[in-house]
């Protein structure tokens, strides 16, 4: 072994496979008889890396072996803590870390103290507080002490900035000072600061007395100064070593220099990061790490072991050339073929994200056909990963997404979020039904009965939104015989709806958790997502109680959603043993025979750089903090590591869900380096074609125009006065409604339909008429009826003015008619007669007797009435049919001949601004369309007989859209599959033959 003091730094090339190559080299170096690697301590970057290395050791040993002690350095981005090796009980002189949730809430208080009312309220305030905390952590990781922000250099830079940057920086500094005072009072430090101190503690301990057993750091690439100091010490320990992933030792010296200063300025006083630094290069962060360790690249030695899944050696050279900085990349056209060959790499372009997911699933399915072949998908796109998991399920392949799912997307968290939304939206129907039918609610033996009641309530709530709160819902439940069941639901929701403004956040969470548990029982907290939710709730509740944070209940959903989005729920061990789905962080150090890099589009891989919202770039550069583009370099390094696999597929889609997208800059580099012909030769076409064949079966034959032919018994149904119009205009609609008895449902929270408004108007006028009240009471009656219908205040506010204006006209019209001797006989009257053995029935909106004894039939309309032409053609016969029933004594206590047929519309008069008018579809005077008054009933009877002869008593098919140009009903268009044949109908009608 080398003398102590000489740093032992190694690099495993990308093509060798880091984890397997690492194990292949560790075993001969550190294994001892009977002990294996048990005396070795391995420092790894994350818990995921521990799992990856463990699997590699199992593959290497075959028969089993004693594993080394693996300690986690801890990845801040994965919210991981240090293990006991680096955080021992003996580190009592290092203060404990402040609770991050408590800090978040406390920073919001300090922000409000600094800015007053300008700081905002609720979610906006808490989002800003979180951003402040994240910036503080970023500075702490880089070893920037708060006192450094008060230096003359920083103050000078701030003074030269734009006003908004000065204000943001000043706010940050003041809030930070308040928080520092809090830390001092509690004897705590922030988490990143404690991590730095623990790294320094370990470095000092090992420098003073080297451990008896060897320590090796592997795969650690974080360039934080404290960790770099620790790695320097590890590299100088007896039998110690630092093993870096994918450090390019073959990179030309001039290219290495072209990466920039990387934290090591050439002259004192120069900025640590130059403006020309290639921070987006995949080697930049490794250069920064070496500079902070005080190690020259020439001191790094190659790791000469290769893993089981190694790629051809020339792959690393091609990867190096692929990511050359801008100026050196001009040499691409002079490279020999072997220096840019990416044999085993394929490019796959899909049309849409759905197509991409399907094609990737096909690739995975094909790979599993080969025994022992391992396949890994790497993507930062969580939506794409979820789609691929769903696609694989069609073949029974259970693939775990080890990057996890955001907590809000889990079943358990959705319960609490739905409860919070119910509070915010005052029990709006969509959210309420979603809550009551959630899979975890009432799970168990009583689930079926619970769902039956929930569905009954769902039907009762269809249509416009009722008034806010639980009282209107109780009325709906009582009308649907659900009062006993609803009482239990109301008992759970009532405490939430009674919460007042600016309630303590801890009390809000208590109420929410209690309601969730009352609905779901202990099942809410079971399974991995429930346990993660329980931990989240406990941490937030305790922190809120300590800080005494207050919040408006209406803001609770937004606050919880923001906080939950920062929590990932990772699956436990399980899933297919040869399929892995990783995020970028989880994929580091992993290796498979086939690696698929998905979602390679700009904004996803690499993600769009997000500059710090609080501190300006110039200030961060002066403080030695890498810029926003630094993460692009990390993404490039992740891709470079993946490209070292034996077989790689780079996949992207041409568009996202809404618009075209740009392929990743990394994909464009690959195409540019290879050239057009080579890029075409490397295109993966089969998987895309097979995926398209899976999702696009052979076209079905054109669906014919429906023409149902029920038998005689099915045809002979009662005919309503509105059903005749439907029968003549679109017989299929009549067939679906009257014979099949299918009814369309309004949506939950639907816009007020014409039918709903008509029902309201009829109820108002009927109650007012039967009460015999004067016209001035119409408005009072309207308000009463709308209250009883639980009309939502917003809907009432929008519709009320025109409704009342139309009702005023009706009141004036009736008063005028009374003066002429016209008397109202009935409103909302049901009548029926037998017509050729068929029951003809209907409800008259209003029937009056005129001074000369004749009957006047009135039909209320909230919109424009049917045109006289439409009545003349026999497609709007309601008035005539009511007249036939009345003339034949079909209405109780009403006798006489109907000769007046009036539409009373509450809409605007044509060409005028006033609401309300009367119209008769009668041909007389200057009118050019309509039915003559003396033939009105006879013509109606003729159309009625024709319909009965053809459909009800005849054998004509109930043809869909018999009159396609006639505007009418559309309730059953989907049932008749209208869009599939209507175009063919149009082409046939235009055929000259």
């Amino acid at each position: 072994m080398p003398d102590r003091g000489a740093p032992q730094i190694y690099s495993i090339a990308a093509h060798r496979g880091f984890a397997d190559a690492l194990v292949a080299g560790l075993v001969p170096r550190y294994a001892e008889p009977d002990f294996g690697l048990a005396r070795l301590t391995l420092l790894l970057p994350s818990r995921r890396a521990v799992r990856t290395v463990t699997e590699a050791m199992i593959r290497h040993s075959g028969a089993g072996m004693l594993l080394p002690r693996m300690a986690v350095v801890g990845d801040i981005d994965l919210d991981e803590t240090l293990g006991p090796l680096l955080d021992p009980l003996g580190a009592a002189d290092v203060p404990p870390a402040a609770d991050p949730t408590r800090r978040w809430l406390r920073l919001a208080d300090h922000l409000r103290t600094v800015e007053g009312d300008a700081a905002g309220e609720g979610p906006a305030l808490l989002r800003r507080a979180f951003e402040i905390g994240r910036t503080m952590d970023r500075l702490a990781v880089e070893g920037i002490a708060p006192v450094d922000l008060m230096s003359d250099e920083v103050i000078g830079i701030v003074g030269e900035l734009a006003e908004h940057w000065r204000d943001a920086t000043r706010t940050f500094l003041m809030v930070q000072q308040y928080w520092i005072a809090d830390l001092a009072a509690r004897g705590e430090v922030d988490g990143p600061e404690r991590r730095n101190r623990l790294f320094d503690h370990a470095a000092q301990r090992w420098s003073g007395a080297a451990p008896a057993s060897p320590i090796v750091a592997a795969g650690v690439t974080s360039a934080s100064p404290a960790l770099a100091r620790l790695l320097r010490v590890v590299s100088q320990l007896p039998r110690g070593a630092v093993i870096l992933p994918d450090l390019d030792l073959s990179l030309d010296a001039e290219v290495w220099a072209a990466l920039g200063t990387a934290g090591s300025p050439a002259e004192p006083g120069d900025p640590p990061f130059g403006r020309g630094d290639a921070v987006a290069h995949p080697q930049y962060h490794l250069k920064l790490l070496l500079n902070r360790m005080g190690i020259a690249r020439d001191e790094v030695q190659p790791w000469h072991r290769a893993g089981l899944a190694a790629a051809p050696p020339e792959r690393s050279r091609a990867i190096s050339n692929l990511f050359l900085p801008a100026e050196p990349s001009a040499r691409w056209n002079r490279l020999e073929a072997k220096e840019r060959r990416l044999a085993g790499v394929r490019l796959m372009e899909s049309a849409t994200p759905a197509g991409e997911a399907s094609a990737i699933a096909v690739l995975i399915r094909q790979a599993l056909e080969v025994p022992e072949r391992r396949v890994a998908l790497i993507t930062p796109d969580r939506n794409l990963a979820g789609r691929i998991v769903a696609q694989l399920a069609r073949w029974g392949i259970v693939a775990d997404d080890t990057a996890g799912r955001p907590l809000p997307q889990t079943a358990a968290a959705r319960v609490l979020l739905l409860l919070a939304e119910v509070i915010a939206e005052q029990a709006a129907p969509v959210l309420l039904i979603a809550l009551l039918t959630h899979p975890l609610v009432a799970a168990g033996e009583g689930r079926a009965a619970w769902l039956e009641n929930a569905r009954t309530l769902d039907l009762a709530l269809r249509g416009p939104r009722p008034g806010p709160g639980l009282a209107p819902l109780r009325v709906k439940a009582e009308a649907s015989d659900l009062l006993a069941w609803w009482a239990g639901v109301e008992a759970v929701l009532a405490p939430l709806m009674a919460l007042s403004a600016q309630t303590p956040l801890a009390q809000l969470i208590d109420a929410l958790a209690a309601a969730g548990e009352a609905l779901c029982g202990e099942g809410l907290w079971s399974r991995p997502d429930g346990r993660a939710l329980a931990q989240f709730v406990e941490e937030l509740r305790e922190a809120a109680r300590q800080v005494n944070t207050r919040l408006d209940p209406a803001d609770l959903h937004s606050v919880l959603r923001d906080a939950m989005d920062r929590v990932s729920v990772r699956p436990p061990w399980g899933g297919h043993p040869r399929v892995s789905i990783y995020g970028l962080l989880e994929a580091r150090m992993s290796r498979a025979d086939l690696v698929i890099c998905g979602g390679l589009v700009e904004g996803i891989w690499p993600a769009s750089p997000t500059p710090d919202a609080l501190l300006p770039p110039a200030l961060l550069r002066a403080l030695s903090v890498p810029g926003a583009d630094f993460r692009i370099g990390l993404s490039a390094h992740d891709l470079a590591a993946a490209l070292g696999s034996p077989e790689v597929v780079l996949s992207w889609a041409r568009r996202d869900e809404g618009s075209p997208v740009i392929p990743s800059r990394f994909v464009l580099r690959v195409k540019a380096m290879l050239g057009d012909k080579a890029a075409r030769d490397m295109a993966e076409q089969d998987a895309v074609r097979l995926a398209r064949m899976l999702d696009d079966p052979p076209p079905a034959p054109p669906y014919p125009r429906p023409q149902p032919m029920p038998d005689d018994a099915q045809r002979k149904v009662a005919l309503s006065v509105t059903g005749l119009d439907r029968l003549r205009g679109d017989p299929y609609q009549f067939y679906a409604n009257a014979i099949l008895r299918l009814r369309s449902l309004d949506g939950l929270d639907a816009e007020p339909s014409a039918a709903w408004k008509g029902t309201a108007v009829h109820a108002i006028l009927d109650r007012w008429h039967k009460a015999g009240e004067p016209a001035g009471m119409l408005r009072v009656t309207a308000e009463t009826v709308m209250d009883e219908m639980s009309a939502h205040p917003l809907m009432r506010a929008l519709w009320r003015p025109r409704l009342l204006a139309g009702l005023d006209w009706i009141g004036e019209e009736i008063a005028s008619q009374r003066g002429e001797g016209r008397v109202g006989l009935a409103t909302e009257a049901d009548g029926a007669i037998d017509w050729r053995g068929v029951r003809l029935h209907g409800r008259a909106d209003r029937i009056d007797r005129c001074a000369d004894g004749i009957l006047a039939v009135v039909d209320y309309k909230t919109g424009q009435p049917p045109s006289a032409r439409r009545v003349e053609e026999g497609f709007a016969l309601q008035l005539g049919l009511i007249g036939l029933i009345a003339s034949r004594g079909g209405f109780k206590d009403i006798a006489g001949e109907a000769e007046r047929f009036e539409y009373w519309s509450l809409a605007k008069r044509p060409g005028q601004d006033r609401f309300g008018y009367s119209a008769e579809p009668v041909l007389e005077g200057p009118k050019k369309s309509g039915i003559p008054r003396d033939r009105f009933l006879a013509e109606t009877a003729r159309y009625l007989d024709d319909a009965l002869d053809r459909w009800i008593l005849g054998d004509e098919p109930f043809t869909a859209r018999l009159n396609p140009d006639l505007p009418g009903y559309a309730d059953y268009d989907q049932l008749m599959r209208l869009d599939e044949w209507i175009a063919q109908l149009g082409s046939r009608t235009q055929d000259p033959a």
Side-chain angles (χ1 to χ4, degrees):
M1 295 295 294
D3 294 336
R4 179 176 179 179
Q8 298 298 301
I9 313 285
Y10 301 90
S11 172
I12 298 179
H15 72 276
R16 294 184 179 274
F18 187 88
D20 291 299
L22 173 69
V23 173
L26 289 178
V27 171
R29 282 173 179 254
Y30 296 102
E32 298 179 10
D34 301 327
F35 288 97
L37 296 176
R39 297 188 189 277
L40 171 67
T41 297
L42 200 57
L43 300 183
L44 296 172
S46 65
R47 286 191 292 269
R48 176 68 226 183
V50 171
R51 177 174 169 178
T52 301
V53 172
T54 301
E55 292 170 349
M57 288 184 174
I58 293 172
R59 287 194 296 270
H60 182 274
S61 65
M65 63 184 299
L66 292 176
L67 299 181
R69 178 186 186 186
M70 287 181 269
V72 176
V73 172
D75 193 322
I76 292 180
D77 291 329
L78 291 175
D79 195 25
E80 293 183 344
T81 57
L82 303 180
L85 176 68
L86 296 175
D87 191 0
L89 295 176
D93 55 332
V94 179
D99 175 49
T101 305
R102 181 185 179 279
R103 183 186 71 169
W104 168 46
L105 300 178
R106 189 64 175 144
L107 288 177
D109 284 351
H110 293 325
L111 184 58
R112 189 65 186 269
T113 301
V114 171
E115 293 190 348
D117 293 340
E121 296 281 351
L125 176 65
L126 289 168
R127 288 188 193 110
R128 292 186 62 199
F130 178 77
E131 289 297 328
I132 290 175
R134 186 160 63 175
T135 300
M136 289 166 53
D137 286 346
R138 186 180 178 191
L139 295 177
V141 167
E142 294 298 323
I144 308 299
V147 68
D148 296 333
L149 296 172
M150 302 298 181
S151 66
D152 293 339
E153 181 183 6
V154 169
I155 293 173
I157 292 174
V158 172
E160 297 174 356
L161 296 173
E163 184 176 356
H164 72 282
W165 279 123
R166 290 201 301 271
D167 291 343
T169 305
R170 187 180 302 111
T171 297
F172 173 79
L173 294 174
M174 294 176 70
V175 171
Q176 186 184 45
Q177 291 305 311
Y178 278 113
W179 175 242
I180 290 172
D182 280 356
L183 291 176
R186 295 176 63 88
E188 297 175 340
V189 293
D190 282 328
E193 172 62 22
R194 186 171 193 274
R195 183 187 301 257
N196 292 342
R197 296 191 187 188
L198 287 171
F199 286 156
D200 290 337
H201 179 272
Q204 292 171 8
R205 189 173 74 247
W206 293 341
S207 296
S213 58
I215 297 179
V216 172
V220 180
T221 59
S222 172
S224 71
L227 184 53
R229 291 191 293 268
L230 176 63
L231 294 180
R232 171 72 189 215
V233 171
V234 170
S235 71
Q236 294 178 298
L237 292 176
R239 303 188 69 195
V242 173
I243 305 169
L244 301 176
D246 314 326
L247 176 64
D248 190 353
L249 300 179
S250 63
L251 200 64
D252 295 343
E254 60 270 21
V255 177
W256 181 259
L259 297 182
T261 57
S264 181
E267 299 293 336
D270 288 349
F273 298 100
R275 291 184 176 274
D277 280 16
V279 294
H281 193 277
Q283 295 292 308
Y284 185 85
H285 70 289
L286 293 174
K287 183 175 183 179
L288 176 61
L289 175 59
L290 290 178
N291 286 343
R292 287 179 169 175
M293 290 176 63
I295 301 292
R297 187 173 61 129
D298 295 341
E299 298 180 74
V300 181
Q301 307 170 56
W303 189 262
H304 291 295
R305 293 282 182 168
L308 298 176
E314 60 268 20
R315 180 75 63 78
S316 286
R317 186 60 184 170
I319 295 172
S320 177
N321 290 326
L322 174 64
F323 289 103
L324 287 173
E327 293 185 8
S329 63
R331 71 174 68 164
W332 279 347
N333 59 357
R334 301 192 301 272
L335 292 176
E336 297 181 16
K338 65 179 182 180
E339 293 185 311
R340 55 182 177 181
R341 183 182 298 122
L342 287 172
V345 177
R346 288 173 284 164
L347 307 177
M348 188 172 75
E349 181 180 66
S350 305
T352 64
E356 182 183 8
S358 184
I360 291 175
V362 168
L363 289 172
I364 295 174
R365 179 69 177 83
Q366 289 176 331
L368 294 179
E369 290 297 307
V370 181
E372 300 184 4
R373 185 172 175 81
R374 292 177 293 137
V375 57
L377 166 69
I378 303 174
T379 178
D381 188 342
R382 297 295 90 215
N383 291 330
L384 178 64
R387 281 178 163 171
I388 294 168
V389 169
Q391 290 282 351
L392 291 173
R394 71 166 66 177
W395 297 301
I397 300 172
V398 179
D400 288 333
D401 182 2
T402 57
R405 287 188 298 162
L407 183 57
Q409 295 180 14
T410 63
R414 284 299 302 156
V415 173
L416 293 196
L417 289 175
L418 281 169
L419 283 167
E421 283 189 284
V422 166
I423 298 173
E425 296 295 330
Q426 289 291 290
V430 173
L431 300 170
L432 179 65
I433 297 301
L435 172 66
L436 297 180
T437 57
H438 187 282
L440 294 182
V441 172
E445 294 182 0
R447 172 83 174 162
W450 177 279
L451 285 179
E452 189 64 30
N453 290 326
R455 288 165 184 153
T456 303
L457 180 64
D458 180 357
L459 294 176
L461 293 177
R462 295 280 168 161
R465 179 186 294 195
L470 299 178
L473 299 176
R474 170 177 278 272
V475 174
K476 296 281 188 181
E478 186 174 7
S480 302
D481 295 328
L482 295 173
L483 200 54
W485 172 78
W486 174 254
V489 176
E490 190 173 30
V492 174
L493 299 181
L496 300 179
M497 307 300 291
L499 293 169
S500 59
Q502 298 304 313
T503 302
L505 178 57
Q507 181 181 337
L508 292 176
I509 296 174
D510 282 337
L512 214 60
E517 193 165 330
L519 292 173
C520 306
E522 294 298 325
L524 179 64
W525 315 113
S526 63
R527 304 183 312 171
D529 58 335
R531 291 188 287 274
L533 177 65
Q535 181 179 354
F536 170 83
V537 166
E538 288 300 324
E539 290 176 354
L540 183 57
R541 175 165 48 193
E542 181 59 29
R545 185 173 290 118
Q546 293 179 17
V547 179
N548 195 26
T549 301
R550 292 181 172 270
L551 193 68
D552 192 315
D555 293 331
L556 181 59
H557 171 261
S558 296
V559 170
L560 287 181
R561 182 61 187 259
D562 286 347
M564 287 183 181
D565 273 333
R566 301 191 283 269
V567 179
S568 289
V569 180
R570 292 181 171 82
W573 288 77
H576 198 287
R578 293 191 286 133
V579 179
S580 300
I581 299 180
Y582 301 121
L584 295 187
L585 295 176
E586 291 77 16
R588 292 170 184 172
M589 298 179 62
S590 65
R591 180 53 59 101
D593 301 293
L594 169 64
V595 172
I596 304 168
C597 300
L600 278 164
V601 297
E602 283 296 305
I604 295 179
W605 192 351
S608 300
T610 54
D612 195 289
L614 299 171
L615 300 181
L619 179 59
L620 293 175
R621 281 197 301 271
L623 292 171
S624 303
V625 178
D629 289 343
F630 185 73
R631 289 197 171 273
I632 296 179
L634 297 178
S635 296
H637 188 262
D638 293 330
L639 182 63
L643 283 171
S645 303
E647 188 177 352
V648 183
V649 175
L650 306 182
S651 173
W652 70 96
R654 289 193 294 270
R655 60 181 299 117
D656 60 15
E657 298 298 338
S659 61
V661 295
I662 301 173
S664 169
R665 66 190 68 186
F666 306 142
V667 170
L668 298 180
R669 274 182 165 267
V670 171
K671 289 185 173 183
M673 186 182 76
L674 293 175
D676 293 339
K677 182 179 183 304
R680 285 194 299 269
D681 293 341
M682 292 169 58
E684 170 59 51
Q685 302 288 354
D686 287 344
V688 177
R689 178 179 58 83
L690 292 173
R692 191 180 300 117
M693 292 174 64
L694 283 172
D695 295 332
D696 295 330
Y703 189 78
R705 185 183 191 180
Q707 295 181 323
M709 288 284 290
D711 59 31
D712 292 345
Q714 291 172 322
R715 286 173 179 270
K716 197 168 182 180
V717 294
L719 184 65
S720 70
V721 295
T722 56
L724 181 60
D725 299 340
R726 192 191 297 262
L727 178 60
R728 286 180 48 78
D730 191 343
Y732 184 91
Q733 300 267 358
F734 178 87
Y735 166 79
N737 180 275
I739 296 178
L740 297 183
R741 297 187 178 278
L742 300 176
R743 300 290 183 269
S744 64
L745 295 177
D746 289 334
L748 286 169
D749 239 350
E751 291 292 326
S753 64
W756 189 92
K757 293 179 180 178
T759 300
V761 169
H762 290 182
I764 293 167
L765 293 174
D766 181 50
R767 179 176 299 186
W768 173 76
H769 170 80
K770 290 176 179 175
E773 295 172 338
M777 293 299 294
L778 250 177
R779 285 177 172 255
V780 177
T781 304
E783 295 288 358
T784 302
V785 170
M786 293 185 73
D787 284 340
E788 293 174 357
M789 293 182 71
S790 300
H792 193 271
L794 177 61
M795 189 280 298
R796 292 176 59 176
L798 295 175
W799 189 44
R800 181 178 179 276
R802 62 182 304 159
L803 169 66
L804 296 181
L807 291 176
D808 287 344
W809 173 83
I810 288 181
E812 295 169 2
E813 182 72 9
I814 291 176
S816 173
Q817 292 173 354
R818 284 175 181 169
E820 298 172 358
R822 181 165 164 171
V823 179
L825 300 180
T827 60
E828 303 301 318
D830 292 322
I833 59 173
D834 184 278
W835 189 278
R836 298 175 57 190
V838 176
R839 183 173 182 266
L840 178 66
H841 63 94
R843 174 174 292 179
D845 294 348
R846 182 183 180 91
I847 299 177
D848 292 349
R849 188 181 300 283
C850 299
D852 55 4
I854 65 172
L855 298 180
V857 179
V858 177
D859 186 18
Y860 304 138
K861 295 295 181 184
T862 57
Q864 299 294 335
S867 66
R869 174 68 64 185
R870 188 172 176 184
V871 175
E872 180 184 353
E873 293 173 349
F875 297 113
L877 300 173
Q878 183 176 354
L879 284 174
L881 293 174
I882 292 292
L884 283 178
I885 296 173
S887 298
R888 296 201 173 199
F891 290 99
K892 184 179 179 181
D893 299 331
I894 297 178
E897 194 73 16
E899 294 187 15
R900 293 188 65 84
F901 310 94
E902 300 173 354
Y903 292 116
W904 286 10
S905 172
L906 275 67
K908 280 188 177 182
R909 301 181 187 182
Q912 300 184 29
D913 290 335
R914 291 194 61 188
F915 286 92
Y917 67 95
S918 174
E920 275 193 292
V922 175
L923 181 61
E924 60 185 9
K927 295 181 179 179
K928 297 182 180 180
S929 59
I931 302 175
R933 191 179 301 277
D934 58 349
R935 292 191 50 77
F936 204 92
L937 294 183
E939 279 295 291
T940 300
R942 183 176 70 82
Y943 283 126
L944 174 60
D945 287 333
D946 174 71
L948 294 180
D949 290 338
R950 295 170 65 184
W951 292 290
I952 306 300
L953 303 176
D955 59 359
E956 191 166 319
F958 289 81
T959 305
R961 287 295 172 97
L962 186 62
N963 298 280
D965 297 328
L966 183 71
Y969 303 97
D971 291 345
Y972 304 97
D973 284 356
Q974 185 177 11
L975 182 65
M976 69 173 70
R977 296 166 69 169
L978 177 69
D979 292 341
E980 298 183 39
W981 54 264
I982 190 65
Q984 304 167 30
L985 177 65
S987 64
R988 286 200 298 269
T989 58
Q990 296 174 10
D991 190 343

